[in-house]
Amino acid sequence: MAMIPQEVINNIQKQANIVDVISSFGINFEKKGSNYICFCPFHDHNYNTPSMSVNLEKGIYTCFSCHETGGVFKFVQNYQNVGFIEAVHIVAELSGIKLDETFKSSSKYDKHYDAVELAYKFYQNNLRTEDGAQAVKYLKKRGIDDSIIDEFGIGYAPNKPDVITKLLLNKGFDENILLDTGLSNRGNSLYDLFRNRITFPIHNTNGKPVGFSARIFDNSDEAKYINTRETPIFKKGEILFNYHRAQNEARRTKSILVVEGQLDAIRIYASGIKNVVATMGTAFTKDHITLLKKLNVKIILCMDNDEAGEKATLSIGENLANAEVPTTILRLSGAKDPDEYILANGVDAFKEAMDNAMSFFDFKLKYLKKDKNLNKEVDQAKYINSVLNELNKTNDDILIELTINKLAADFNLNKNN
C-alpha cells in the first residue's frame, strides 16, 4: 500500500460514519440515548445483552466486556485482519470517499492480479455468448440460476487453443506473467490452460480473483476439474473458497460451515446459508486453521460422504481440536456430498442436519467402532482401550465421567477398576 498523507487520513476519519461502516459488515445496532449498541464481534457471547457501545459524535467504539476500544480504522483493522493503510482504503471505499490514484495499492504482483482479473471478466462474459450456451444449460440443469452465476462470477473458457493467451498478449502482458499466473502453458508455443470448461473464480481473502477451478460439462476430458497451480498470488494452502463472502455472515451467526468442493459451497450459499467455505479437495493446512480461528466462531465440518471424506474429517477435526477451535461434525447419509443432498432432500433437511451435527469427540467414538465386531471380546477390548486413550487427551472432567459411565453400561464393566 502506498503511503497516505496524514491530512488525507484525518479527512477520511472525519467524513466516515463509524456506525455505517460497522453496519456494512452485517452488525446490527440499536439506538440507546446518544449512543448505538450492538453485540461485540471480538469475543464470544454467553449472554443476551449487547456489550459494545458506539459514540457516533466521537467516532469511537467500546466493549464493556472485553474492553476492546478504538476508532473506525482500528475496528476495520481488527475485524478484517488488515494493516492500518489497508483499513484506511476500506473505510474510504465504504464511505464513498475517492482516493487519489497515487495512494492506491502497488506491489510487484499488480500485473499478475490484472491478468487474472481480465481473464475472469473474459470468461464471465463468454458464458453469455453462443459458445457458452451448453455450459449455461449444464449449470441450469444443476440448479444454478443467473443470480448465482453472476454473484460467483462463473464463466466459460472456450474450446479454442489460445484465446486468453492472445488476448493478454495483445493487451501488453508479458509472456512470463501468463505463465506465472497459470493462465497459459508452454508447448511448441503458448496455449491456454483452460479450454471448453466452466470456470469458477477463486478469490483471496480481500476478494481479488487469483485463480480458477475449471470443470468439464460434456465428458470431453477424463479430468473432471483442472485447477490453477500454485502461483505467486495463488497459494492453495492459504485460501478457502468463498471466504471473502462468508466471513461477515460467519461472525454474525457465530458459525462457519466448511465443505469439500466449490459446487457444494455454491449450492449451500444459493440455498440461503451464506456462512460457508470450501477447501479445494481434502487438503487442510495451518493457514486454513489460522483463517478460521480469526473469525472466533464454531466450525461445522462437512466433508464428502465417502471413505476419503471420513478420513479427512478425522484429520481436520484433530487439527482443529489441537488448535482449540470448537468443532462439530456433519455427516450426511444417502448422498455423496451437500450438493447432492440438498437437491435430493431440500435445504430444510440440510439445515436440520446442521442443527444436529455431532461433537468431534462423538464422531471419533463412532469412527473407532468402524470395522469392529463389538460382540467379540477382542474387538471390545480394542475399542475400549482406544476410547480410554482418547480420554487421556482431554481435560474435560464431565466428558470423561460421562464416557466412562457409558462404557461401563454398554460393556457391563466396573468403572472403578
Side-chain angles (χ1 to χ4, degrees):
M1 288 286 179
M3 293 301 296
I4 304 176
Q6 189 61 47
E7 62 187 69
V8 175
I9 293 174
N10 292 342
N11 184 49
I12 294 170
Q13 189 170 23
K14 286 178 183 177
Q15 293 186 58
N17 181 310
I18 189 171
V19 172
D20 288 346
V21 170
I22 296 176
S23 296
S24 70
F25 296 114
I27 297 171
N28 298 316
F29 282 98
E30 179 184 334
K31 187 85 160 59
K32 189 171 183 180
S34 60
N35 292 336
Y36 293 79
I37 60 172
C38 66
F39 287 99
C40 177
F42 300 119
H43 69 276
D44 291 328
H45 308 120
N46 297 316
Y47 46 85
N48 296 317
T49 305
S51 61
M52 178 177 283
S53 176
V54 177
N55 186 303
L56 183 60
E57 184 178 344
K58 293 180 180 178
I60 293 173
Y61 69 91
T62 301
C63 176
F64 298 105
S65 179
C66 71
H67 309 296
E68 179 68 35
T69 186
V72 66
F73 299 136
K74 185 179 179 185
F75 181 91
V76 173
Q77 277 184 272
N78 291 343
Y79 192 79
Q80 294 290 84
N81 300 298
V82 297
F84 177 75
I85 296 300
E86 189 170 352
V88 173
H89 279 269
I90 292 171
V91 171
E93 183 177 350
L94 291 173
S95 303
I97 302 168
K98 290 189 177 181
L99 288 175
D100 189 286
E101 287 294 324
T102 58
F103 305 142
K104 295 296 178 66
S105 62
S106 177
S107 80
K108 64 180 180 179
Y109 297 124
D110 280 350
K111 288 292 185 182
H112 295 71
Y113 287 113
D114 291 344
V116 175
E117 178 77 26
L118 184 57
Y120 161 67
K121 290 178 179 177
F122 172 80
Y123 293 144
Q124 190 177 22
N125 291 334
N126 199 54
L127 183 70
R128 302 300 190 186
T129 67
E130 186 176 343
D131 281 349
Q134 291 304 310
V136 171
K137 185 177 179 180
Y138 171 85
L139 290 168
K140 296 293 179 66
K141 187 178 179 181
R142 294 291 298 264
I144 299 173
D145 62 20
D146 288 337
S147 64
I148 295 301
I149 289 172
D150 291 340
E151 180 156 12
F152 281 87
I154 299 170
Y156 171 65
N159 193 19
K160 297 174 183 177
D162 55 4
V163 174
I164 199 67
T165 297
K166 286 180 176 177
L167 174 65
L168 291 170
L169 290 175
N170 289 337
K171 289 291 184 179
F173 288 93
D174 187 271
E175 287 186 5
N176 290 328
I177 297 294
L178 276 64
L179 294 168
D180 279 354
T181 54
L183 293 169
S184 302
N185 281 337
R186 187 187 296 280
N188 294 328
S189 60
L190 287 183
Y191 63 92
D192 295 353
L193 173 65
F194 304 117
R195 299 184 301 279
N196 196 34
R197 287 175 176 269
I198 295 170
T199 57
F200 299 92
I202 300 166
H203 299 75
N204 63 15
T205 55
N206 296 323
K208 285 187 176 183
V210 291
F212 300 90
S213 181
R215 192 191 197 285
I216 59 168
F217 58 93
D218 59 1
N219 298 318
S220 59
D221 195 322
E222 290 184 4
K224 184 184 288 188
Y225 283 95
I226 294 178
N227 300 316
T228 298
R229 58 175 173 76
E230 294 275 311
T231 75
I233 62 172
F234 174 58
K235 307 293 185 186
K236 186 176 178 180
E238 298 175 3
I239 291 175
L240 289 168
F241 179 78
N242 200 49
Y243 183 91
H244 68 293
R245 294 186 192 90
Q247 57 182 324
N248 290 336
E249 182 68 7
R251 288 187 174 103
R252 188 187 71 80
T253 60
K254 288 296 176 185
S255 66
I256 192 161
L257 178 63
V258 178
V259 297
E260 193 171 315
Q262 290 98 318
L263 272 176
D264 292 322
I266 291 171
R267 170 73 58 215
I268 293 165
Y269 190 97
S271 300
I273 303 168
K274 309 291 188 182
N275 53 326
V276 58
V277 297
T279 63
M280 282 164 277
T282 56
F284 202 77
T285 68
K286 289 181 180 179
D287 290 312
H288 290 147
I289 292 176
T290 299
L291 270 181
L292 294 171
K293 197 168 184 178
K294 284 179 179 178
L295 296 173
N296 193 30
V297 301
K298 178 184 72 175
I299 309 299
I300 305 170
L301 185 61
C302 182
M303 297 286 100
D304 285 358
N305 191 28
D306 55 19
E307 187 174 352
E310 188 176 47
K311 289 181 178 178
T313 300
L314 185 66
S315 174
I316 295 170
E318 288 284 9
N319 290 333
L320 288 168
N322 291 337
E324 298 182 340
V325 180
T327 303
T328 58
I329 305 300
L330 173 57
R331 299 297 290 162
L332 299 172
S333 59
K336 67 178 181 179
D337 54 36
D339 180 31
E340 186 178 283
Y341 186 90
I342 291 174
L343 288 174
N345 302 289
V347 66
D348 288 339
F350 185 77
K351 287 180 178 178
E352 184 177 352
M354 284 179 61
D355 291 339
N356 293 312
M358 70 184 83
S359 71
F360 177 59
F361 187 81
D362 284 341
F363 168 79
K364 281 199 291 187
L365 295 188
K366 189 174 181 180
Y367 186 84
L368 291 172
K369 289 179 180 178
K370 188 179 177 182
D371 300 326
K372 290 186 177 67
N373 183 348
L374 295 182
N375 291 318
K376 293 183 177 180
E377 292 183 356
V378 172
D379 281 357
Q380 285 183 22
K382 287 180 180 178
Y383 172 69
I384 292 168
N385 285 325
S386 295
V387 174
L388 294 176
N389 186 52
E390 292 297 329
L391 288 177
N392 286 332
K393 300 176 185 178
T394 181
N395 295 319
D396 188 333
D397 292 337
I398 295 176
L399 178 63
I400 292 171
E401 180 72 15
L402 290 172
T403 305
I404 289 177
N405 285 342
K406 190 172 190 315
L407 285 174
D410 289 346
F411 298 102
N412 195 26
L413 300 174
N414 184 342
K415 71 175 185 177
N416 295 317
N417 287 345

